[in-house]
Amino acid sequence: MSEAIAASGAPALLRVENLSVRFRTDRGMVRAVDGVSLHVHAGETLAIVGESGSGKSVTALSLLRLIGDNGEIEQGRILFDGVDLGRLSGAEMRKVRGNRIAMIFQEPMSSLNPVLTIGKQVAEPLVLHQGLSWQAARKRAVELLARVSIPDPVDRLDSYPHHFSGGMRQRVMIAMALACDPKLIIADEPTTALDVTVQAQILALLKALTRETGAAQILITHDLGVVARYADRVAVMYGGRVIESASARELYANPKHPYTQGLMASVPSLDSDPGRPLQTIPGQPPDLANLPPGCAFAPRCAYARDLCRQGKPPLESIGPQHERACYGYE
Amino acid sequence: MQAYIIRRLLALIPTLFVASLIVFVSMRLIPGDVIDQMLAQNDVATSADRALVEEALGLDQPMYIQYFRWVGGIMRGDLGNSLWHNTPVTAQLAETLPITFQLGLLALVVALTVAVPIGIYSAMRQDTAGDYIARSFSLLMLSIPSFWLGTLVMVFPSVWWRWSPPLEYTPFFQDPIQNLSHMLLPAVLLGLALSAVTMRMTRTMMLEVMRQDYIRTARAKGLAENLVIARHALRNGLIPVITLIGLQAPLLIGGAVILEQIFVVPGMGLLLLEAVFARDYPVISGIFLVTGVAILMINLLVDLTYGFLDPKVRY
Ligand SMILES: Nc1ncnc2c1ncn2[C@@H]1O[C@H](COP(=O)(O)OP(=O)(O)O)[C@@H](O)[C@H]1O
Ligand SMILES: [Mg+2]
């Protein structure tokens, strides 16, 4: 479906062009995101995959312009529904957050306010963005909680987060994110902190709900295993850059970047021989404060040549809907 | 909740028993003797006079008898009589306690209205000039003893502008304006002393809370920063601050004693000072007992407030 949308040439719901973000830290300037370009169409799920520290969360947060006081968007454009978010005033940007773009975070245990009731927290965006009274918003909150399959939603309105398990809290977060019918939902490793069985439930729920509402989704994960089942397209990040992007099917069948191939080899799959040990990529993820001048993956890459250590390879098209940032090794 | 309060009140009994023992024993350890002082008022005093006075005051009995008499009296709501004035201690306390209570309450209000907003401001403007000024002010308040500040306030305006603070006490319900014009200055001085630590604590807690994930969630919902602070940060940040205020209760009472002396507020503090100078044991013991109860009650109140602010606390 998504390939059809992409091929139809309809403008993307979200288009990120050449985004760079840097942070002031004790160790100097750190460029966490370096020239990232992405796009997501309506109704589509884009997965952003990469090891921890590769800049996935920073990319997501900068879409909402929530990177904090020590961070700065150096360059790039974020076009959402035809509007350049970088040009919006603070007040205009707040009308986008939680309303047209909603976000779900990694840590369900700490992402809900411990002193406010679930009802109040789920109702809050409705009061804020749709001007509902608290009473009306509470009624809507019951429906939202029911939609994310929280049992006895009426009774749970006055519960506090500590009464809920991690999986249930993440459901509450999803209900909150859905409140204003956003066009884009960004889920930043929504299941990393959860049990494996709960993980599958939450991801299935997210997939079903986005399909139902027609919202687009950016699903951030460090788990390539998740991607095949829940994403339409995939962008693989390494050292703050997108190093490969393709449709999920294409990426699985035909990974073209040595890093993606390494990741793939480290994912257990159903048809792999259970007796064979999984491979891991040797070496350490790059230190962003101290990146090599060339390709960030070169120090770990079996195919690295002199060229790779001198300049950063640009992201180039290598086939239909398939891009890769690599000088090649064939 | 009700059961919890009753349990807490019952738990006070052993605490108070120990406190009464400490009060009673420490009283007798104060050097100097009330009989000597009384007899010194006469030119000639014989040992016969001494025995007479001791007997009249019950001080001829062994210590433990004196103690049990005293405790027995407390049970009946009788704290004994002042050794000098022969008036019941309870009557003296009834007269002075409300005045000290008013001073303490005013000071607390001053402390909170100064400390909480400035603490929040300081946290939100971390490491700006405003933050440094607020923190220096808090450090200053922490290091300046209130008796010194009180003395300055008494002395310098009168030297410079021939104005000195009013020192005449009027009961609040008789003339609130008159009363406040007298009480406000000592309350402000006492409140500022309390605000120092409270302000730092508020700042630290707000900085801590603003780093939490749920604050990021609130921002991602589209809330403006003032709502993020008011609705999502403040309550979380103030929970530990409330506890701190409970811990500061003894400081508040100690400060009241000193400021009552300087500003001639006829409260329990002033009564205590007179009683200590006169070795008026029953009065001193009575005040200590009441103070002890007050501190315990304040802490109970703090715990109840805590439960109100933090849904994780259940009784
Ligand atoms: N608030 C911040 N201040 C300083 N550096 C940051 C901040 N947030 C992220 N970074 C830097 O950006 C890097 C990428 O972070 P992140 O996007 O969170 O990675 P991940 O891919 O695991 O989500 C981190 O390793 C860190 O060096
Ligand atoms: Mg992350």
Side-chain angles (χ1 to χ4, degrees), chain A residues 255-258 261 301 303-305 324 326-330:
Chain A
K256 286 290 190 194
H257 194 285
Q261 292 168 350
C301 182
Y303 310 101
R305 298 176 282 156
R324 174 183 77 163
C326 181
Y327 287 125
Y329 47 86
E330 290 90 349

Side-chain angles (χ1 to χ4, degrees), chain A residues 23 25 30 32 51-58 70 288:
Chain A
F23 289 96
T25 70
V30 170
E51 286 170 302
S52 163
S54 55
K56 307 181 297 292
S57 296
V58 172
N70 64 333
L288 289 179

Side-chain angles (χ1 to χ4, degrees), chain B residues 54-209:
Chain B
E54 277 190 347
E55 198 191 330
L57 298 177
L59 295 177
D60 56 337
Q61 305 282 343
M63 272 254 247
Y64 71 91
I65 301 265
Q66 291 184 36
Y67 174 71
F68 282 115
R69 270 195 191 166
W70 182 58
V71 171
I74 295 173
M75 304 286 189
R76 296 191 306 274
D78 175 10
L79 291 172
N81 286 352
S82 157
L83 295 182
W84 290 84
H85 307 293
N86 212 27
T87 47
V89 172
T90 43
Q92 287 184 321
L93 289 175
E95 206 172 295
T96 55
L97 183 61
I99 299 173
T100 303
F101 182 75
Q102 188 202 345
L103 181 61
L105 204 63
L106 278 177
L108 194 62
V109 171
V110 170
L112 289 180
T113 42
V114 169
V116 172
I118 296 184
I120 295 171
Y121 172 86
S122 216
M124 296 311 131
R125 300 272 182 284
Q126 189 188 6
D127 295 334
T128 62
D131 179 29
Y132 284 122
I133 292 170
R135 280 158 72 189
S136 313
F137 174 73
S138 137
L139 206 61
L140 203 67
M141 284 301 123
L142 200 61
S143 35
I144 295 180
S146 48
F147 72 83
W148 187 73
L149 207 58
T151 317
L152 283 193
V153 170
M154 292 299 291
V155 173
F156 280 95
S158 72
V159 172
W160 291 334
W161 307 300
R162 315 223 132 272
W163 176 87
S164 57
L167 296 179
E168 201 157 331
Y169 177 75
T170 323
F172 181 80
F173 293 106
Q174 187 178 314
D175 185 348
I177 307 268
Q178 198 72 29
N179 169 279
L180 287 179
S181 73
H182 176 210
M183 298 283 272
L184 211 52
L185 206 48
V188 166
L189 293 180
L190 189 53
L192 286 181
L194 281 182
S195 71
V197 180
T198 314
M199 185 191 301
R200 305 208 122 216
M201 184 76 163
T202 307
R203 177 180 180 276
T204 309
M205 287 323 300
M206 288 305 283
L207 282 176
E208 178 64 30
V209 166

Side-chain angles (χ1 to χ4, degrees), chain A residues 62-93:
Chain A
S62 43
L63 301 185
L64 287 176
R65 287 176 38 196
L66 280 177
I67 47 175
D69 294 336
N70 64 333
E72 177 200 0
I73 296 181
E74 277 178 283
Q75 59 166 11
R77 286 209 305 169
I78 301 162
L79 291 166
F80 175 72
D81 219 1
V83 177
D84 185 350
L85 295 186
R87 289 174 184 270
L88 295 186
S89 69
E92 286 167 333
M93 192 62 220

Side-chain angles (χ1 to χ4, degrees), chain A residues 97-98 110-111 113 121 124 129, chain B residues 213 217 220-221 231-232 236:
Chain A
R97 292 183 197 131
S110 54
S111 291
N113 193 325
Q121 295 188 64
E124 194 172 27
H129 295 298
Chain B
D213 290 336
T217 307
K221 276 180 179 175
R231 197 180 287 159
H232 288 266
N236 285 291

Side-chain angles (χ1 to χ4, degrees), chain A residues 61 66 94 97-98 105 107 110-116 120-121 124-125 128-129 134 160 162 173 176, chain B residues 212-214 216-225 227 231-233 235-236 239 309-312 314:
Chain A
L61 286 170
L66 280 177
R94 285 198 295 274
R97 292 183 197 131
F105 296 99
E107 305 82 6
S110 54
S111 291
L112 289 168
N113 193 325
V115 303
L116 299 179
K120 178 144 188 169
Q121 295 188 64
E124 194 172 27
L128 184 70
H129 295 298
W134 280 102
Y160 288 93
H162 68 273
M173 286 295 291
M176 221 158 74
Chain B
Q212 299 299 311
D213 290 336
Y214 54 81
R216 189 184 54 191
T217 307
R219 289 187 178 131
K221 276 180 179 175
L223 289 173
E225 202 59 16
L227 264 182
R231 197 180 287 159
H232 288 266
R235 210 163 128 193
N236 285 291
I239 290 170
L309 287 175
D310 185 350
K312 269 181 240 165
R314 276 290 155 261

